[in-house]
Amino acid sequence: MGAFEYVALDGAGKEKRGILEGDTPRHVRQILRERALLPLKVTESAEKESRRQGSLGLRRGISASDLALLTRQLATLVQAGLPLEEALLAVGQQSEKQRVQSIVLGVRSKVMEGHSLADGLGDFPQAFPSLYRATAAAGEQSGHLDTVLERLADYTESQQAIRQQMRNALIYPIVMLLFVVLIVILMLAYVVPKVVQVFTQSGGELPALTVAVIGASDFIRDWWWALIIGVIAVVAGLRWLLAQDGPKRGWHRIKLRLPVFGKISRGFNTAQFTRTLGILAGSGVPVLEALRISGEVIDNLPMREAVAEATSRIREGAGIARSLGASKLFPPMTIHLLASGEASGELEAMLDKASGNQEREIQGLIAAMLGLLQPLIVVVMGIMVLLIVLAILLPIFELNTLVQ
């Protein structure tokens, strides 16, 4: 029995969408007819999700908040002693989003066919990353799926909380920046031309600053469409360029060397890596496999390649801390904690401490950066408005001089 998404018409000709479980698409169509619905389209959830993943659209996977919520619900129900297929059915039915419901019921159908939970999650790789699937597989093999799901729930919720904090912290500076740009554009496009028109008609020579502001004003009014196209072209070109391996790797190396952003990038990737490695190691995943999966969650290419090189050294018998420290890309505190964990046999605890340490440092850096960014935006706005005001006042001062 599988999960199928359907599109059907009711007796009034109104389109209805939903999800039904059935053995085949034909069986689902029969169920729809018994409910006085005319089936238009019936598609298996796994097949539809596979087409979504292969498309060029932006909508892939599910959101971090949805993943955190369904993981917590599943962990709670499994810990309560509910059979896995019933827990998946309850989680799917509780979701208000059709796509999440479709994915969860698709996983359930795979489980009901006799496959493991990890196999069911594997049909939806964009929704459930490799960390998620490997951890679930380890939990099933060890017989502690409830404990492992609890770990996954904690992990997904912590990651969602960090992302939410970063988004919330960036809202105010972004709004202020847009407000500044809008004010300057309005002043250059509408205010400056009307005020300066009086001085241009007098035929006198205008100051250089006034001429420059008038030129900027004319350009914005006459070529605003070209400016928009140019910005879009530059953004699209940069995105295409940074999608190539060579330029992308070079940019990632530059990011690691930037004064503040480099520390944030290094800390964020290190926190992701150590948190993931700690969960996998604590769930019973072999170390080499855990390192491979943990390396995949790192966004920075040089750091990801450093983990791959370290994995090769570890396979030959070297220690984790020494192998990772050879790249000089991971924070020294993290390397020291890993070395301590290896020496004491408490690697999982030290990995958890390392990730927590990096997360706290990132939050402090972001708070400090935003604390500087907000007054900096105000200062920049004040300077730009001052230049525009000076461009208007300088001709007035010259007229007063001529009158005297």
Side-chain angles (χ1 to χ4, degrees), residues 3 83-84 89 95 112 119 138 170 193 261 273 310 331 350 366 390:
L84 183 58
L89 177 61
S95 176
M112 292 184 67
D119 290 337
L170 289 173
F261 293 100
F273 169 73
M350 290 298 104
I366 291 175
L390 284 176

Side-chain angles (χ1 to χ4, degrees), residues 29-139:
R29 290 190 182 94
Q30 181 181 349
I31 296 174
L32 290 171
R33 292 190 185 98
E34 290 173 356
R35 297 182 180 181
L37 295 172
L38 177 63
L40 298 178
K41 188 177 181 181
V42 176
T43 310
E44 190 174 4
S45 298
E47 178 186 344
K48 190 167 184 178
E49 188 65 22
S50 178
R51 287 205 302 266
R52 279 190 182 122
Q53 293 163 13
S55 67
L56 297 177
L58 296 176
R59 190 184 177 194
R60 296 187 178 188
I62 59 178
S63 67
S65 58
D66 289 333
L67 182 61
L69 178 60
L70 73 87
T71 305
R72 176 59 67 189
Q73 290 174 336
L74 185 60
T76 302
L77 293 173
V78 171
Q79 282 189 330
L82 214 63
L84 183 58
E85 60 271 13
E86 292 185 24
L88 288 167
L89 177 61
V91 172
Q93 290 176 340
Q94 286 176 14
S95 176
E96 297 179 354
K97 297 183 179 180
Q98 182 175 329
R99 191 173 184 203
V100 175
Q101 185 180 8
S102 173
I103 290 173
V104 173
L105 293 181
V107 174
R108 177 178 181 268
S109 67
K110 194 84 171 181
V111 171
M112 292 184 67
E113 291 172 4
H115 296 275
S116 66
L117 174 62
D119 290 337
L121 299 175
D123 285 347
F124 306 93
Q126 292 291 341
F128 304 102
S130 54
L131 157 69
Y132 203 102
R133 302 194 301 271
T135 307

Side-chain angles (χ1 to χ4, degrees), residues 134 138 141 277 280-294 311:
Q141 292 170 6
L277 184 59
L280 292 172
S283 302
V285 178
V287 173
L288 294 177
E289 178 67 8
L291 282 166
R292 183 190 66 80
I293 296 171
S294 302
T311 304

Side-chain angles (χ1 to χ4, degrees), residues 181 184-190 213-227:
V181 172
V184 172
I185 289 175
L186 288 175
M187 290 187 71
L188 289 176
Y190 297 102
V213 170
I214 292 174
S217 174
D218 292 340
F219 178 81
I220 289 176
R221 283 188 296 109
D222 297 338
W223 298 95
W224 59 268
W225 54 272
L227 187 61

Side-chain angles (χ1 to χ4, degrees), residues 170-185 373-374 376-378 380-381 384:
L170 289 173
I171 287 175
Y172 181 68
I174 290 174
V175 170
M176 280 193 66
L177 186 60
L178 292 175
F179 187 65
V180 169
V181 172
L182 181 62
I183 287 178
V184 172
I185 289 175
L373 186 60
Q374 293 172 8
L376 182 62
I377 293 175
V378 174
V380 171
M381 178 181 177
M384 296 182 74

